[in-house]
Amino acid sequence: MATRKHSQLLDYLSSHITEFSQPDSDRLKALYSDFSKLYILNKYGYDTNVSFWRRVILECNQQGYLGTSEYATVIDKENLPEKFQRPIIGKPLALNSVLDTMEKQEELMPIQTFTARFAPPPTWVGWVIDAVVKNAWYFRWRDRSPSGTQYVVLPTIKALSRDILAHHFADPTADPILTLKQFKDTYGHFMNEIQLTDSDIMLLLRYMHSQHGVGLADNVKGYGTSYKIIKFPSREGEVATITQHDESIVTIRTTCQALSVQVDELQQKSEELHRQSLEEKRLGHTAKALYCLKRKKNLQQILESRLKSMETMDNILLKIQTSKDDLQVVQAFNMGADALKDILGSDGLTLESVDEAMEKISTVLQDQKEIEEAMKMDLSEFTDEDIEQELSQLIQQEITNNSNSPSPASIPLPPSPPINPPRVASPAADSELSRLNQIFSSPKKQKELA
């Protein structure tokens, strides 16, 4: 396990950090050297190297590649150089200076200091001693390194807490109350490659309880045993408190889970007895077949009883959840009504003020109407009826004038002579007419006649 972790760490360094991708570079050799003396000779170079190793330690720990055998969020000061050991250049020689700087900045914190600062509720003290203190002493004794110091990587704890709370608040249907096992199953492998142990979970819950108001309770009675439960606050900035109502919900829920397991087991046994009865009947063992059927009948009765009990518990949980949702809706209504009332009161918006404003508007509109009417009377001395009557007179006079002065189109033409029907002329008359036409058509004759 340790060898695989070490290999994963080296692979991550080579693929994600430029300096480690060039194993023979002078820069990497300088980082692995004892640069602690640069603090006096070259402060800028010292700070640059410390900043580099600080970034490497925090990043590798948050990716899940740098931890201890019992913690994923803790590093061991004694074993840390071995984790970065590389061929040829060996171990980094100035990590103690880096760790001291990180401890001063409270990015690393000894476990003893962390547990003292972020204390759990009194009911969890016994489990804390079992999960953290005894484990720490056991691993120290096993590794025979009593002088080794373990540091909690505080930025990793903060990042985990932030991501878990964001995940919970982002899901409106998320259950705010979880048992310790449910919490571990949900968030034990939540960020990157970090696999949280029981000790990590305890450190994380300590911090979330102290800094984010997550409620913790121990020895909550459930179905056949006691549980450690965690309760998320309803929103950020609030503190969750575990009430008797919450403990009752845990009891009902664990009972439903236990009944579900029993139902599955009874169903499997019933099906197995059914198969056995058929097999015994096929072999001619009638008595055994009847015995299997009787056992199956008994199991079926128990199964039906368990199913009814589970149905009752589920209905109770559903009604509790429904009533809780209804309560939240009513609370939202009350909050909205209070907010609206505060807005109306702060802005002076009341029934009296509205009536007063409407009366002012009515008065102003009436004054404006009177002003407009007064302005219309000043603009003209005549009424519309007088103007229309005058216009009618002008039109009538124009028509009369046009009728007295005849136009070319209206001058009467002289009467045309009556047209007599043509008569048949005699030959003598025709010859006389021809002669006259010749006379009048001749130009000379026309001059003489003129």
Side-chain angles (χ1 to χ4, degrees):
M1 181 66 179
T3 304
R4 186 170 67 87
K5 278 286 187 182
H6 183 258
S7 177
Q8 291 176 345
L9 174 61
L10 296 181
D11 291 342
Y12 179 81
L13 293 173
S14 300
S15 59
H16 289 80
I17 300 178
T18 305
E19 288 79 358
F20 287 93
S21 63
Q22 303 171 355
D24 298 331
S25 64
D26 294 336
R27 173 59 178 159
L28 188 61
K29 292 178 182 178
L31 290 169
Y32 269 72
S33 65
D34 186 6
F35 56 81
S36 58
K37 298 177 182 179
L38 292 178
Y39 183 81
I40 299 175
L41 302 176
N42 184 1
K43 186 66 166 55
Y44 176 77
Y46 175 83
D47 292 339
T48 301
N49 292 342
V50 169
S51 177
F52 171 83
W53 280 110
R54 168 190 168 276
R55 177 172 64 88
V56 169
I57 292 172
L58 294 179
E59 184 175 339
C60 291
N61 182 259
Q62 290 187 11
Q63 292 296 327
Y65 300 122
L66 189 64
T68 65
S69 55
E70 67 271 20
Y71 290 99
T73 59
V74 173
I75 60 174
D76 195 328
K77 181 179 180 180
E78 298 296 327
N79 299 331
L80 190 62
E82 297 179 0
K83 295 183 180 297
F84 292 102
Q85 185 174 1
R86 299 178 67 87
I88 303 176
I89 58 177
K91 305 175 184 179
L93 302 178
L95 284 185
N96 286 338
S97 300
V98 177
L99 297 178
D100 290 342
T101 302
M102 295 178 70
E103 185 177 1
K104 290 178 182 178
Q105 296 175 354
E106 291 193 344
E107 293 177 326
L108 298 180
M109 187 178 295
I111 289 183
Q112 294 82 358
T113 305
F114 183 91
T115 54
R117 178 176 298 185
F118 305 108
T123 57
W124 279 53
V125 172
W127 187 71
V128 170
I129 295 174
D130 292 336
V132 179
V133 179
K134 289 183 179 180
N135 285 343
W137 280 106
Y138 166 74
F139 282 104
R140 287 184 181 182
W141 174 83
R142 186 190 66 179
D143 295 337
R144 296 183 180 180
S145 55
S147 59
T149 304
Q150 293 182 324
Y151 291 86
V152 179
V153 185
L154 204 56
T156 302
I157 296 291
K158 292 180 179 180
L160 281 168
S161 301
R162 182 178 60 252
D163 291 350
I164 290 174
L165 289 172
H167 176 268
H168 174 77
F169 292 135
D171 184 6
T173 62
D175 196 335
I177 303 174
L178 300 175
T179 63
L180 183 62
K181 183 180 183 302
Q182 290 173 332
F183 183 88
K184 184 178 180 180
D185 292 341
T186 306
Y187 301 111
H189 190 187
F190 182 70
M191 189 176 75
N192 301 326
E193 298 298 324
I194 298 180
Q195 188 67 45
L196 299 178
T197 64
D198 289 344
S199 299
D200 289 314
I201 294 291
M202 190 59 234
L203 295 178
L204 179 62
L205 290 176
R206 276 174 168 271
Y207 181 83
M208 295 178 69
H209 171 73
S210 175
Q211 301 299 312
H212 297 288
V214 175
L216 303 175
D218 196 9
N219 294 326
V220 177
K221 293 183 179 180
Y223 186 84
T225 185
S226 297
Y227 294 88
K228 302 173 181 64
I229 61 174
I230 299 99
K231 182 180 181 181
F232 288 93
S234 57
R235 59 180 60 88
E236 294 184 10
E238 293 187 355
V239 177
T241 302
I242 298 176
T243 62
Q244 186 66 36
H245 169 74
D246 299 327
E247 295 182 1
S248 300
I249 291 178
V250 172
T251 302
I252 297 173
R253 187 184 301 161
T254 55
T255 302
C256 288
Q257 294 172 354
L259 289 174
S260 178
V261 173
Q262 292 180 13
V263 165
D264 292 339
E265 293 177 352
L266 290 171
Q267 185 66 36
Q268 292 177 1
K269 291 180 179 179
S270 177
E271 293 174 357
E272 180 64 26
L273 289 172
H274 179 73
R275 288 192 294 269
Q276 288 181 6
S277 64
L278 293 178
E279 181 65 21
E280 295 295 341
K281 182 64 177 177
R282 187 181 63 83
L283 295 175
H285 303 160
T286 305
K288 289 184 177 180
L290 293 174
Y291 176 73
C292 292
L293 287 176
K294 289 180 181 180
R295 291 187 59 190
K296 178 187 173 183
K297 292 287 186 182
N298 292 332
L299 288 178
Q300 286 291 336
Q301 293 178 356
I302 299 175
L303 178 61
E304 292 175 0
S305 175
R306 292 291 186 271
L307 286 173
K308 291 180 180 179
S309 300
M310 189 168 65
E311 181 181 2
T312 302
M313 291 295 180
D314 288 337
N315 289 334
I316 292 174
L317 279 177
L318 181 60
K319 290 180 179 180
I320 290 175
Q321 185 63 40
T322 303
S323 62
K324 186 177 180 181
D325 295 339
D326 293 340
L327 178 61
Q328 291 179 352
V329 171
V330 173
Q331 290 176 351
F333 286 162
N334 290 330
M335 291 175 63
D338 293 339
L340 182 59
K341 184 178 179 180
D342 293 340
I343 292 174
L344 296 178
S346 61
D347 295 340
L349 187 60
T350 61
L351 183 60
E352 292 78 8
S353 63
V354 172
D355 291 339
E356 183 179 355
M358 296 305 294
E359 184 177 356
K360 288 181 180 178
I361 293 173
S362 178
T363 303
V364 170
L365 291 177
Q366 185 66 29
D367 294 342
Q368 179 67 19
K369 184 177 180 180
E370 293 177 359
I371 291 172
E372 290 178 353
E373 291 178 354
M375 292 177 67
K376 289 180 181 179
M377 293 175 63
D378 293 338
L379 288 175
S380 177
E381 298 179 356
F382 305 100
T383 64
D384 293 341
E385 290 78 4
D386 296 337
I387 294 174
E388 290 178 358
Q389 184 178 0
E390 183 177 356
L391 179 61
S392 300
Q393 292 175 358
L394 291 174
I395 294 173
Q396 185 67 31
Q397 184 179 358
E398 183 68 21
I399 293 173
T400 304
N401 292 336
N402 290 338
S403 62
N404 294 331
S405 58
S407 62
S410 62
I411 295 175
L413 296 175
S416 59
I419 300 175
N420 296 323
R423 296 178 298 175
V424 179
S426 63
D430 290 340
S431 61
E432 184 65 25
L433 288 173
S434 298
R435 188 179 63 81
L436 289 174
N437 285 334
Q438 289 178 0
I439 291 172
F440 284 105
S441 63
S442 174
K444 184 178 179 180
K445 293 296 182 180
Q446 289 177 2
K447 291 180 180 179
E448 290 177 358
L449 291 173

